[in-house]
């Protein structure tokens, strides 16, 4: 597990996101059911300015229909727990909180190996928070300064992720879908804030990354190209984000 990319912001809902990217919205209302066996439980993530691990988040996958498995796979928006639960886990919440995975070594880890092969996803966000070491306070204790990284033009980011399906042993409850965000070495100016960054997946790589029938090529697990990172603005924000209970647009304001 990596220690960065533990908070982000998203300012759209599943229906709007699905319309934006021409996907099927599979985040159901409580009374509805999906035809796909992999469909998420009836939980609806919404606008969230301070997304933290274990929160239910939106993801984008590309899957075949359960009813027509020979049909072309479609983009689908699904709700998942942020913090991957491996299929072999005995119960949820016991063990590491796998909200990040190192892209360089995920294929070698038992928690992520199966997901690397056939369950890759995208995690949409407006931007992510990171903390940089600051000067000591009046009591000599180290401080951390929060920053928000987001595209300068206000477009949405889609981070590479992995997902998993977990079934509670002996239970008829719907399966739990969960995900993790991949990270790489930081690129360009982002190194000034942290030595790691989430793996940004450009639109022209979506089809290959999300292909449910083939493993993604190794180059897609590499750090993003520097021009992609150059389009990211870095701004210091108020320490309000330090508390998960704080959740409003003011968290994104420049300090």
């Amino acid at each position: 597990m990596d220690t960065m990319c533990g908070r982000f912001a998203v300012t759209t809902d599943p229906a709007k996101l699905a319309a934006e990217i021409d996907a099927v919205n599979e985040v159901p209302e409580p009374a509805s059911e999906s035809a796909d066996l992999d469909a998420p439980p009836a939980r609806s993530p919404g606008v969230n300015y301070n997304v933290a691990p274990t929160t239910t988040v939106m993801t984008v996958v590309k899957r075949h229909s359960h009813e027509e498995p020979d049909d072309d796979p479609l983009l689908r928006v699904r709700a998942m727990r942020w913090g991957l639960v491996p299929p072999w886990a005995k119960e949820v919440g016991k063990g590491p909180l796998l909200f990040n995975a190192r892209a360089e070594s995920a294929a070698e880890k038992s928690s992520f190996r199966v997901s690397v092969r056939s369950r890759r996803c995208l995690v949409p966000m407006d931007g992510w928070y990171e903390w940089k070491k600051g000067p000591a306070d009046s009591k000599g204790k180290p401080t951390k300064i929060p920053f928000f990284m987001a595209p300068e033009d206000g477009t949405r980011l889609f981070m590479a992720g992995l997902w998993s399906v977990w079934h509670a042993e002996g239970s008829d409850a719907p399966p739990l879908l969960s995900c993790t965000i991949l990270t790489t070495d930081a690129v360009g100016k982002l190194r000034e804030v942290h030595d790691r960054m989430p793996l940004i997946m450009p639109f022209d790589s979506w089809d290959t990354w999300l292909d449910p029938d083939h493993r993604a090529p190794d180059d897609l697990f590499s750090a993003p190209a520097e021009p992609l990172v150059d389009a990211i603005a870095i701004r210091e924000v108020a320490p309000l984000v330090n508390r998960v209970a704080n959740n409003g647009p003011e968290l994104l304001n420049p300090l």
Side-chain angles (χ1 to χ4, degrees):
M1 187 181 73
D2 214 66
T3 56
M4 63 82 56
C5 194
R7 301 279 182 85
F8 65 87
V10 61
T11 58
T12 191
D13 59 43
K16 290 179 181 177
L17 178 67
E20 178 184 312
I21 63 173
D22 193 22
V24 179
N25 179 20
E26 292 191 345
V27 181
E29 296 297 329
S32 68
E33 295 180 355
S34 171
D36 192 327
L37 286 182
D38 282 345
R43 297 173 298 182
S44 182
V47 173
N48 191 335
Y49 295 93
N50 201 355
V51 183
T54 74
T55 303
T56 299
V57 299
M58 289 183 293
T59 64
V60 180
V61 300
K62 196 171 188 179
R63 308 299 287 179
H64 296 281
S65 167
H66 175 65
E67 295 178 335
E68 300 290 342
D70 294 328
D71 281 1
D72 291 337
L74 299 175
L75 286 180
R76 304 169 188 272
V77 177
R78 292 181 172 174
M80 299 189 190
R81 174 190 189 266
W82 185 24
L84 188 141
V85 180
W88 42 260
K90 294 297 183 183
E91 58 183 300
V92 177
K94 299 291 185 181
L97 184 56
L98 304 174
F99 59 90
N100 284 164
R102 297 178 73 92
E104 307 93 320
S105 57
E108 304 163 9
K109 306 296 184 182
S110 60
S111 297
F112 307 126
R113 192 176 298 129
V114 172
S115 298
V116 167
R117 287 200 298 267
S118 61
R119 284 184 171 150
R120 300 176 300 277
C121 64
L122 298 170
V123 180
M125 62 178 69
D126 290 53
W128 77 99
Y129 300 98
E130 194 49 74
W131 283 259
K132 183 178 180 179
K133 185 177 180 180
D137 63 16
S138 58
K139 296 181 180 179
K141 294 182 179 179
T143 60
K144 290 187 176 182
I145 303 170
F147 290 84
F148 185 67
M149 277 67 66
E152 292 181 358
D153 61 3
T155 54
R156 204 176 315 286
L157 291 166
F158 289 82
M159 302 307 187
L162 307 173
W163 64 284
S164 182
V165 182
W166 180 82
H167 297 266
E169 188 175 352
S171 172
D172 294 328
L176 172 69
L177 303 192
S178 60
C179 66
T180 189
I181 294 174
L182 291 171
T183 69
T184 69
D185 285 336
V187 173
K189 60 186 179 183
L190 293 180
R191 296 191 193 101
E192 300 171 11
V193 180
H194 200 282
D195 62 355
R196 301 289 293 180
M197 64 174 286
L199 175 53
I200 303 169
M201 190 57 58
F203 178 74
D204 59 6
S205 298
W206 284 19
D207 284 345
T208 306
W209 177 253
L210 295 175
D211 185 347
D213 303 316
H214 302 91
R215 188 193 186 282
D218 289 343
D219 64 294
L220 289 188
F221 289 83
S222 300
E226 194 151 341
L228 200 62
V229 172
D230 288 341
I232 302 290
I234 303 172
R235 63 176 181 264
E236 185 178 347
V237 293
L240 286 170
V241 69
N242 294 354
R243 295 188 66 242
V244 177
N246 295 328
N247 200 319
E250 66 276 5
L251 270 61
L252 306 184
N253 293 338
L255 188 64

